[in-house]
Amino acid sequence: MKVLFIGGTGTISMAISKLILEKGWELYLINRGNRNNDERLKGAHFITVDINDEKAAAEKLAGMQFDVACDFIGFVPSQLERDYRLLKGKVRQFMYISSASAYQKPCGNYIISEKTPLANPYWEYSRNKIACEDYLMKLYRDEQFPVTIIRPSHTYDERSVPLGVHGDKGSWQVVKRIKEGKPVIIHGDGTSLWTITHNSDFAKGFVGLMGNIHAIGEAVQIMSDESVTWNQIYQCIATSLGVELKPVYVSSSYLAAHSDYDFTGSLIGDKANSVVFDCSKLKSLVPDFVATKRADQGIRETVEYVLAHPECQTEDPYFDKWCDEIIAKMN
């Protein structure tokens, strides 16, 4: 199978790229070349170009045909319009990474399936994803453009510990606080249900949908069946570090009102909601799919990796100071 990825080196896409190469498929990556030396991408073909330079990208793709193409870095409809101009007539299946955050908030039912309405008034990111989906599905209906929409939830890899509340520089500062015995902020009371999915599991579901004729014109969510509370997630981090967890519970609305971070979107529009995902559609399309990385196992492995790799330990003094200030107000 001949595959084109726009992106291909991020949290979700790297695991998929790795699995595709292990299968012996022909993989082409359009990107700026910042991570092309990664050993996991050995055997891939690189098309080094800024995808936003449409003329240059069109010249690079001239005369090429693909079984599957996927845009991992499309966030607004104008980017998908560009993809359509570049790939019309060149692909048998175009896959788009949307987001489970696009589902309606507040949730009408805590069990989420592809039939759940899309509506998120709290997060522009999610509204843009909905607009992208609308654009692509119209292309499918009107132009028979072979679209498959993919909706991931909270997907993580070995480089970033899954969290609810963190700063702009990633998860390390929170991990460091837990490791040093400092109190950490957990939104709400920590009892809402959440789903985290390791990227290696996500990749299995995604690859099963590639070249799958039954996935054309469909939206499919890919995630683990396992649900855990935020208290369990943070406790798994502390257990992996061998220390006591010292949680400070703060309402999501308070966090949104007392920070420069977009907690209105990421919490009220996403992580503060209790969700359980129904993955029966994915399993009907990919009968052998099963997520095998349990939350506590994945968190432990990620914590161990981050501790062993200083490049994953980005300090965030601004966020650390903000945590101290919020926690002081709670006491």
Side-chain angles (χ1 to χ4, degrees):
M1 188 174 292
K2 190 175 180 180
V3 178
L4 173 70
F5 284 170
I6 300 172
T9 61
T11 297
I12 288 176
S13 55
M14 180 63 84
I16 301 169
S17 295
K18 181 175 179 289
L19 184 54
I20 284 174
L21 292 169
E22 289 173 357
K23 284 179 167 291
W25 294 357
E26 194 174 359
L27 175 63
Y28 290 78
L29 301 177
I30 288 185
N31 58 41
R32 296 179 182 180
N34 296 329
R35 296 186 64 190
N36 291 353
N37 293 326
D38 195 305
E39 275 297 310
R40 292 171 292 183
L41 297 176
K42 186 176 181 180
H45 305 278
F46 299 104
I47 303 174
T48 304
V49 67
D50 182 351
I51 190 65
N52 296 308
D53 185 345
E54 188 173 335
K55 181 180 178 181
E59 291 173 355
K60 296 273 189 177
L61 293 171
M64 302 184 77
Q65 296 284 328
F66 302 95
D67 296 300
V68 181
C70 180
D71 190 342
F72 290 93
I73 52 175
F75 300 100
V76 294
S78 61
Q79 294 169 319
L80 278 300
E81 293 167 7
R82 173 206 64 210
D83 292 349
Y84 178 61
R85 290 191 294 268
L86 288 171
L87 297 172
K88 180 182 180 181
K90 292 179 178 291
V91 296
R92 292 189 175 92
Q93 181 185 27
F94 179 81
M95 303 177 76
Y96 173 62
I97 301 294
S98 183
S99 171
S101 70
Y103 290 122
Q104 69 177 11
K105 305 294 184 304
C107 302
N109 189 319
Y110 78 98
I111 299 177
I112 304 295
S113 76
E114 291 83 357
K115 295 179 181 179
T116 300
L118 304 181
N120 191 332
Y122 302 104
W123 206 0
E124 184 180 13
Y125 165 82
S126 305
R127 293 193 297 274
N128 285 335
K129 288 290 189 179
I130 294 169
C132 288
E133 287 198 29
D134 289 344
Y135 170 73
L136 289 173
M137 293 309 293
K138 187 175 190 302
L139 282 182
Y140 171 70
R141 291 190 298 269
D142 297 348
E143 307 292 338
Q144 292 75 57
F145 190 56
V147 171
T148 300
I149 305 293
I150 305 297
R151 296 180 188 144
S153 184
H154 191 158
T155 308
Y156 69 105
D157 67 3
E158 73 280 2
R159 296 170 294 177
S160 182
V161 180
L163 294 167
V165 179
H166 59 80
D168 294 331
K169 296 183 179 181
S171 62
W172 168 247
Q173 199 66 46
V174 178
V175 174
K176 184 182 179 184
R177 289 183 68 92
I178 296 173
K179 184 173 181 288
E180 294 177 347
K182 294 181 179 179
V184 293
I185 296 170
I186 298 179
H187 61 278
D189 63 2
T191 62
S192 58
L193 294 173
W194 194 243
T195 298
I196 60 173
T197 306
H198 196 271
N199 67 347
S200 60
D201 282 330
F202 184 93
K204 292 184 289 186
F206 186 96
V207 169
L209 294 170
M210 296 178 71
N212 187 327
I213 60 172
H214 302 293
I216 303 298
E218 298 288 347
V220 186
Q221 56 190 26
I222 303 177
M223 62 278 294
S224 170
D225 286 317
E226 181 185 20
S227 296
V228 290
T229 67
W230 286 104
N231 282 333
Q232 288 174 316
I233 290 172
Y234 279 80
Q235 185 58 61
C236 285
I237 298 170
T239 299
S240 299
L241 292 167
V243 299
E244 177 188 357
L245 177 66
K246 297 178 180 178
V248 174
Y249 298 104
V250 185
S251 74
S252 297
S253 58
Y254 186 91
L255 292 172
H258 294 84
S259 81
D260 298 329
Y261 302 108
D262 184 15
F263 290 137
T264 297
S266 66
L267 292 182
I268 299 173
D270 196 24
K271 296 180 178 68
N273 297 269
S274 239
V275 291
V276 174
F277 293 100
D278 176 359
C279 295
S280 57
K281 184 174 184 179
L282 171 64
K283 292 175 181 178
S284 70
L285 294 170
V286 188
D288 60 349
F289 172 78
V290 60
T292 56
K293 186 74 72 174
R294 207 173 61 215
D296 57 328
Q297 296 171 330
I299 290 172
R300 183 181 67 252
E301 291 172 10
T302 301
V303 168
E304 291 173 352
Y305 184 93
V306 169
L307 291 177
H309 290 79
E311 68 273 16
C312 298
Q313 301 172 17
T314 304
E315 299 280 347
D316 193 345
Y318 180 85
F319 175 75
D320 198 48
K321 181 174 180 291
W322 175 81
C323 287
D324 288 335
E325 292 171 353
I326 293 294
I327 289 168
K329 291 176 182 177
M330 295 296 105
N331 294 328

